[in-house]
């Protein structure tokens, strides 16, 4: 597996995009969208696994305007600092940066096949919003906190969409998840997966206060199956 850092130019500056290439040299592209902790050890771990499965993975530094190369610690203090930092994050700008990263992926000679998007927490919201603006082969959103308030946008999403939530999430209450379930019921392109006993960020193996290994394993199996159907590695 090879890694590198690419640079993308936006209207107001340039930002880094960490890129992972599979051993085969190329494959379908995945935009990997960070949590509030930045492009840190957890995102690196997810990217490495996806690249090992044959995907070209690109993870943009979404906090570049407010704190470039932020790598928040997975501790109570680090989480509090990351939450505070995220309050200054401009969501529309972040979605625009991700759209630029999708275009960058499509232009890469290593990308063979479609391009999808996968986001966690903050990134789950960004992935959902991005899917209303950019054509994607597959979209995976893990516990995006703004999704329940944005279900009216679901009709703008044509791509296959996987929405993952925890049923015991203190940041996204179960009744708000139910709103998403109801909106998804009439959308044949939308798949819901809820881990009823899990809370927020339960897939994050770098955060002991959040991680729920069994729930994470089940949800990740669903995600990989979804990718295998909608964005297969040839």
């Amino acid at each position: 597996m090879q890694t590198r850092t690419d640079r993308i130019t936006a209207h107001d500056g340039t930002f880094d995009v960490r890129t992972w290439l599979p051993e085969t040299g190329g494959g379908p592209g995945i935009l990997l969208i960070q949590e509030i902790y930045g492009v840190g050890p957890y995102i690196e771990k997810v990217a490495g696994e996806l690249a090992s499965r044959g995907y070209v993975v690109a993870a943009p530094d979404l906090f570049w305007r407010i704190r470039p190369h932020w790598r928040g610690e997975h501790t109570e203090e680090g989480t509090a600092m990351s939450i505070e930092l995220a309050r200054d994050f401009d969501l529309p700008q972040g979605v625009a940066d991700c759209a630029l990263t999708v275009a960058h992926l499509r232009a890469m000679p290593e990308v063979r096949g479609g391009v999808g998007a996968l986001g966690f927490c903050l990134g789950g919201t960004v992935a959902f919003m991005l899917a209303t603006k950019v054509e994607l082969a597959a979209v995976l959103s893990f516990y995006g906190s703004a999704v329940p308030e944005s279900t009216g946008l679901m009709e703008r999403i044509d791509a296959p969409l996987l929405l993952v939530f925890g049923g015991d999430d203190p940041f996204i209450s179960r009744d708000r998840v139910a709103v998403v379930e109801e909106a998804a019921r009439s959308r044949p392109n939308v798949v819901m997966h809820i881990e009823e006993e899990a809370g927020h960020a339960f897939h994050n193996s770098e955060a002991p206060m959040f991680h729920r290994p069994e729930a994470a394993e089940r949800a990740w199996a669903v995600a990989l199956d979804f990718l295998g159907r909608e964005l297969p590695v040839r």
Side-chain angles (χ1 to χ4, degrees):
M1 184 190 313
Q2 298 179 30
T3 64
R4 70 180 189 229
T5 299
D6 294 340
R7 298 280 287 173
I8 292 180
T9 300
H11 70 94
D12 55 345
T14 60
F15 60 94
D16 287 347
V17 178
R18 292 281 305 282
T19 304
W20 288 256
L21 301 174
E23 289 185 359
T24 56
I30 293 181
L31 166 70
L32 180 58
I33 312 175
Q34 67 178 63
E35 302 176 302
I36 60 174
Y37 299 109
V39 183
Y42 169 61
I43 293 299
E44 291 171 342
K45 184 182 294 185
V46 173
E49 180 178 349
L50 291 171
S52 73
R53 294 177 179 274
Y55 293 98
V56 176
V57 184
D61 175 19
L62 291 191
F63 286 171
W64 67 276
R65 291 182 181 87
I66 49 179
R67 188 72 69 85
H69 308 126
W70 172 252
R71 291 170 69 93
E73 294 184 4
H74 291 79
T75 61
E76 289 189 10
E77 182 181 5
T79 298
M81 292 174 65
S82 296
I83 290 173
E84 185 65 27
L85 187 64
R87 291 195 176 101
D88 293 327
F89 176 67
D90 187 310
L91 179 59
Q93 291 269 36
V95 172
D97 289 344
C98 284
L100 289 173
T101 307
V102 168
H104 177 74
L105 273 165
R106 288 191 172 129
M108 288 174 58
E110 296 93 346
V111 173
R112 301 191 285 266
V115 174
L118 164 63
F120 297 92
C121 303
L122 172 70
T125 293
V126 174
F128 182 85
M129 299 301 180
L130 178 69
T132 70
K133 299 178 178 298
V134 174
E135 184 178 343
L136 294 161
V139 181
L140 300 84
S141 170
F142 275 63
Y143 25 79
S145 59
V147 172
E149 286 69 46
S150 309
T151 54
L153 297 176
M154 207 177 286
E155 63 184 21
R156 301 187 193 176
I157 300 176
D158 295 323
L161 173 64
L162 172 65
L163 298 170
V164 177
F165 291 95
D168 191 27
D169 188 332
F171 300 100
I172 310 172
S173 63
R174 187 60 181 85
D175 64 324
R176 302 309 297 155
V177 175
V179 170
V180 183
E181 287 181 288
E182 182 59 32
R185 230 179 282 279
S186 61
R187 305 294 302 175
N189 62 313
V190 181
V191 176
M192 293 285 300
H193 180 79
I194 303 167
E195 286 292 335
E196 294 291 357
E197 305 302 318
H200 199 69
F202 66 83
H203 185 261
N204 189 335
S205 57
E206 296 293 315
M209 72 280 278
F210 296 130
H211 189 218
R212 298 295 178 268
E214 292 182 0
E217 185 176 352
R218 286 191 298 267
W220 191 239
V222 169
L224 291 176
D225 182 66
F226 181 81
L227 280 173
R229 290 195 313 271
E230 308 298 346
L231 191 62
V233 175
R234 305 295 183 186

